Amino acid sequence: MGTELLAPLDLAFWHLESDAHPMHLGALAVFSPGDRPAHGPEGLLELLGTRAAAIPRLRMRVRDVLLPVGGAAWSVDKDFDVHRHVKRVSLPEAEAAGAGEAGFMAAATRLAGELMEQPLRRGLPPWQMYVIGGAPDGPFAVLVKLHHALADGMRAVAIGAGIFDEIASVAGRARPGPAAGRVRPVPPRSWMPGPRQVAGLALGRIEDLGRAFGVGASLVRASRLDLRGAPALSASSSGTRRLATADLDLESVQRIRRVAGGTSNDVLLAVVAGALRRWMLERGEPLPGADPRALVPVSRRRPGGAATGNRLSAYLLGLPVSEPDPWERLRAVRGAMDRNKSAGPLRGAGAVAVLADQLPSLAHRFGAPLAGNAARMLFDVLVTSVPLPRSALSLGGCPLRALYPMAPLARGQSLAVALTTYGSTVQIGLVADGKALPDLERLGRCAEDEVAELLALLPTSATL
């Protein structure tokens, strides 16, 4: 794999990072013991390292380039050593106490929060994996950290999936041997188009600038000068991280969707709104005067398109926490999302990522701090859905029991919510500023309670 320029949005994520605001995605994968005794902790670590090292993208690091000015490029790390990136971390308190699965999950999420606080080391390929072990015959977890410049949520899944038995075996069979010939490297981008390309590039650039102007105008209209909202969601950043997880029954979510109409994602967004309302009331916090706004990312990736980088837009959604009726909250969310979809992912203030795609490299290098500080003027919480393969997955014969995705926190944000579906469960990963939201586990329970209440009201809402 040769040198490849960072796309504008990737460059933006690279420069948005600071020590207090690391810009990496994460996932906490939890495995049942399975055949683990045959591998042992060190065997699992070696297996994970071997598979990670076989993923070409994970051998790439970011380096500055002379042209374009302010730009950066991916290049192969000639001194790549997978042992710098794959490590084992034990949980002595869980092992000593024999706390069982619940105790293991509590200890693993607490440790994962501490690890998520730490920015990835620059100068090396920007990723890290940790094997988090409990009792020898109990569950274990793998924490994966990938810088947002490396991939968006969908590409992060595709990259990280290479560690699983099923995907690794398919990739091994598909990898050509010496007799099959070598795959030709992708040529580097040309910065000097030929005469026949000039007209097309100029027309495309005009269209891009027109789209950027429209998004920019929407951003100005949507920006809020009054930043007072839910106190916890707008607290000052401390640089600490706390994680929590929640599990929702997929069949319950689908039952609600069949009655309410719309999509399962509409239901989940309404569940997040209801959970926030419950959580604020339980902690004695007054409901905000204006409903908090969620940034809901939307993939712009096309089938067969570029396999790397970020291809994102987003919708802005007011989370109706002021509405006391759960079904009315769901109606409000569905209506707002229908309007967003009618406008499309390339229009509206939520398409801030599209605007970032139109800016020159130098603007990202020097304007990132300003852009990062402006995030709270647009939204209060990130809520993202990450797709997973539908098939059952395992690592070294140990079945994957759950996978909790984790999103980064922007400046001025105290909470990010990521959801995915695996098997018969919707799994929620909550990432929060540790000082602003020390009771994050309660928010996870509130999400489960919200689904239960929607189900309890289902017979009387059959005409919805």
Side-chain angles (χ1 to χ4, degrees), residues 87-164:
K87 300 179 181 179
R88 178 173 178 255
V89 185
S90 61
L91 293 173
E93 68 271 24
E95 293 175 355
E101 292 190 7
F104 168 77
M105 279 301 301
T109 52
R110 183 166 55 251
L111 176 58
E114 296 173 2
L115 295 172
M116 287 292 286
E117 289 179 13
Q118 304 168 11
L120 293 163
R121 181 179 167 186
R122 299 212 166 197
L124 296 176
W127 64 275
Q128 201 80 40
M129 295 184 189
Y130 299 90
V131 177
I132 301 175
D137 57 347
F140 69 97
V142 174
L143 175 66
V144 180
K145 294 167 56 176
L146 296 173
H147 200 285
H148 212 333
L150 187 64
D152 54 27
M154 290 183 69
R155 293 312 305 168
V157 170
I159 292 172
I163 71 171
F164 293 112

Side-chain angles (χ1 to χ4, degrees), residues 220-228 293 376-378:
V220 172
R221 290 193 298 268
S223 297
R224 303 167 299 179
L225 297 179
D226 185 357
L227 301 179
R228 292 173 298 175
R293 278 202 257 186
R376 62 182 302 195
M377 298 177 65
L378 283 176

Side-chain angles (χ1 to χ4, degrees), residues 383-444:
V383 183
T384 184
S385 295
V386 181
L388 277 184
R390 295 185 178 182
S391 59
L393 300 172
S394 61
L395 174 63
C398 301
L400 176 68
R401 191 178 69 195
L403 190 145
Y404 301 98
M406 300 167 192
L409 293 180
R411 286 181 175 86
Q413 313 296 320
S414 298
L415 174 66
V417 182
L419 310 99
T420 195
T421 299
Y422 180 68
S424 60
T425 308
V426 177
Q427 287 146 2
I428 305 177
L430 303 169
V431 179
D433 183 282
K435 291 187 177 179
L437 279 70
D439 56 345
L440 189 62
E441 293 81 2
R442 181 187 297 178
L443 180 58

Side-chain angles (χ1 to χ4, degrees), residues 224-251:
R224 303 167 299 179
L225 297 179
D226 185 357
L227 301 179
R228 292 173 298 175
L233 297 182
S234 57
S236 299
S237 299
S238 67
T240 60
R241 292 292 179 270
R242 189 174 184 88
L243 307 183
T245 63
D247 297 278
L248 308 179
D249 177 62
L250 177 60
E251 174 57 28

Side-chain angles (χ1 to χ4, degrees), residues 189-205:
R189 297 182 183 181
S190 172
W191 302 321
M192 297 295 292
R196 296 181 180 180
Q197 297 175 280
V198 171
L201 289 173
L203 180 60
R205 188 58 179 163

